[in-house]
Amino acid sequence: MIKIQLKLLTLSLVLTTAFIGCKENKSSVTADKVTISVKSENFLSGELAEPIIIESRTLSDGSTADCYKIVATSTPTDHEMGPWCPNNISDDASAGGIWLDGGKVHDVDGDFVKNLATFYEDDTWMLYDKETGEITKTKTKQECQEAANPNVGVEYQNYCVECLPSYVADIQHTYYIPVTPKKAVTPYKFSSHPGGGPPPRADGHERPEGPPEGHRGPEGNSTLPSDRGLAFNGVAFNAPAPVDNILGAYTLAPFDDAGGHINLNAGYHYHAATGVSKKIEQTDNHSAMIGYAFDGYGIFENADANGKEYTDLDESRGHYDEIRGYHYHVDKAGNNNFIDGLRGEYAL
C-alpha cells in the first residue's frame, strides 16, 4: 500500500511539473494586458482606391484572423510630392529635396549638388554643367527607368534621378493588416544587405509590394514583407533605400521633404519619417502616431514631444505602455530606416 502511494505521489509530481512547464511556455506568447486594435478610420480615405473592408486571412503562424484590406494609390493628399532635384547649382533648398547620409538629413540644394565631389571625396562626381550651372537630371519616364537601374550605363552616370508622379499615376497596391495584433512567439527580423536594405530587384530599386510579396529573410522566411508598414495616407514605409547601388553609379536619387521618392514599380513611398505626413498627437508628451506596421502594431515618431529619443526599445524598435499597448518608434530620419522587425504575426 505504501509503495502504491509513493508511486502515485511521484506521478503527481511529474504531472504537476509538466503542467507548470507547459504553462510557462504558453505565457511567453500570452497577449499583452493592453492590446490596441487597428482603427481603419485613421487612414485618409482620399488616398484609397476603394473603401477598407475586413477579410479573413492566413497569418504568418498559420492561424487565421480578420484583416483590413487596404487598396492604396500611394498618392498622398495630405502633402505635395517633390521637388527632388534642383535645376541649377544656384537654386536654394526650396527647389530640391533631401538626402540621407551618415545619420543626417542634408538639403539637396544647388550647393549640395555642386559640392558632391568634396562631400564623397571623389572627383568623378559632376552632376552639372560648369558653364551654365544646369544640373543634369532625368526628364522623361524612360530616362528615369534607365538611370534607376543598378546596372546603369555610363550614359546615365552623374545624373540626378527624378521620377515624377505622372509616371505612376495608375499604380495601386493592396495591403492586409490584422485588425488586432497578435504577438509572435519569436519576433521577425528584417534582413539587410550591405547597402542598408533588402536585396535590390533585378530591375533596379526596392521591392514594390507589401504582403504577401516579400524577400528571403535570414531564417529562410520568404514571406516577410519588405515594406515595414503604412502611413495614414496609404503610402508605404519602405525598406532602407539601396544607397550603395545609387552612389555606385554616381547618381543621386533624392527624397522629397516628406522622405519619399518614386520608382516605376513601387510608385511613391517613404524612406524616412520627417513629420510631414498625417500624425495623431498624444496627450502625455509621447511622440505622435504616424501609421501601422504590417503586424497591426502602431508606429510612432522617433522622439517624444520634448525631442527625447526612447532608450528602452527592443530589437524591433518597439516597447510597451498601458496607453498604447506595444508599439514601434521609427529610427531617426537620417538613418534611412524605420523599424528593424515585426514583433507580431503578419498577413500572408
Side-chain angles (χ1 to χ4, degrees):
M1 185 66 177
I2 294 176
K3 289 183 178 180
I4 294 175
Q5 290 176 336
L6 287 173
K7 287 182 178 180
L8 289 174
L9 179 60
T10 300
L11 179 60
S12 176
L13 288 171
V14 170
L15 290 175
T16 300
T17 303
F19 175 76
I20 292 174
C22 290
K23 186 175 182 180
E24 289 176 347
N25 184 56
K26 183 178 179 181
S27 67
S28 64
V29 293
T30 299
D32 300 318
K33 181 180 178 182
V34 175
T35 300
I36 307 298
S37 294
V38 175
K39 295 181 179 180
S40 61
E41 62 269 25
N42 285 342
F43 289 97
L44 297 171
S45 59
E47 284 84 353
L48 305 180
E50 57 187 56
I52 297 174
I53 62 173
I54 293 177
E55 287 189 4
S56 180
R57 301 284 295 187
T58 301
L59 299 185
S60 43
D61 65 350
S63 64
T64 59
D66 285 342
C67 295
Y68 285 120
K69 178 184 178 182
I70 302 170
V71 183
T73 63
S74 300
T75 302
T77 59
D78 55 343
H79 67 80
E80 296 290 332
M81 291 179 284
W84 291 278
C85 299
N87 294 314
N88 196 283
I89 59 172
S90 63
D91 288 341
D92 62 20
S94 66
I98 59 176
W99 185 241
L100 314 175
D101 191 278
K104 297 181 180 179
V105 177
H106 304 271
D107 282 325
V108 180
D109 54 14
D111 197 54
F112 181 82
V113 175
K114 179 182 178 181
N115 292 297
L116 278 170
T118 301
F119 188 80
Y120 284 115
E121 300 180 340
D122 186 340
D123 290 338
T124 306
W125 285 95
M126 177 55 67
L127 269 68
Y128 65 96
D129 185 299
K130 287 185 177 180
E131 294 185 2
T132 66
E134 181 182 357
I135 293 172
T136 306
K137 63 179 182 178
T138 57
K139 296 180 179 179
T140 67
K141 183 176 181 179
Q142 182 65 30
E143 288 183 349
C144 162
Q145 184 174 20
E146 294 295 331
N149 193 312
N151 300 315
V152 60
V154 292
E155 67 273 22
Y156 285 107
Q157 290 186 359
N158 270 307
Y159 263 69
C160 190
V161 181
E162 183 174 75
C163 300
L164 302 178
S166 59
Y167 303 163
V168 294
D170 297 329
I171 283 185
Q172 296 180 5
H173 295 303
T174 300
Y175 304 99
Y176 295 92
I177 298 179
V179 173
T180 302
K182 180 181 181 183
K183 182 181 177 182
V185 175
T186 303
Y188 299 96
K189 185 174 179 59
F190 291 122
S191 63
S192 62
H193 71 100
R201 293 174 53 96
D203 56 6
H205 237 42
E206 312 86 15
R207 297 185 64 89
E209 277 289 357
E213 186 177 342
H215 63 270
R216 187 165 297 280
E219 285 78 40
N221 185 338
S222 61
T223 65
L224 189 64
S226 58
D227 289 336
R228 288 17 182 169
L230 287 181
F232 293 132
N233 59 18
V235 175
F237 296 129
N238 202 263
V243 173
D244 286 355
N245 288 337
I246 297 170
L247 299 179
Y250 294 99
T251 58
L252 193 70
F255 316 99
D256 62 18
D257 288 344
H261 67 181
I262 291 170
N263 76 57
L264 300 183
N265 299 291
Y268 182 76
H269 55 279
Y270 294 129
H271 285 290
T274 62
V276 174
S277 65
K278 176 189 172 180
K279 63 177 73 176
I280 299 175
E281 301 288 353
Q282 307 295 292
T283 59
D284 58 352
N285 283 332
H286 190 277
S287 63
M289 187 178 183
I290 59 174
Y292 290 102
F294 280 127
D295 55 7
Y297 290 116
I299 296 181
F300 291 73
E301 289 184 314
N302 173 262
D304 66 19
N306 298 315
K308 184 179 179 181
E309 293 185 50
Y310 297 87
T311 59
D312 60 341
L313 303 182
D314 61 24
E315 61 182 350
S316 301
R317 291 198 58 84
H319 64 177
Y320 173 89
D321 68 47
E322 293 193 359
I323 296 176
R324 287 153 287 266
Y326 182 85
H327 58 280
Y328 302 102
H329 288 277
V330 296
D331 209 340
K332 291 191 297 185
N335 287 337
N336 179 27
N337 183 49
F338 288 105
I339 59 176
D340 295 336
L342 294 178
R343 187 248 202 175
E345 307 294 352
Y346 55 91
L348 301 179

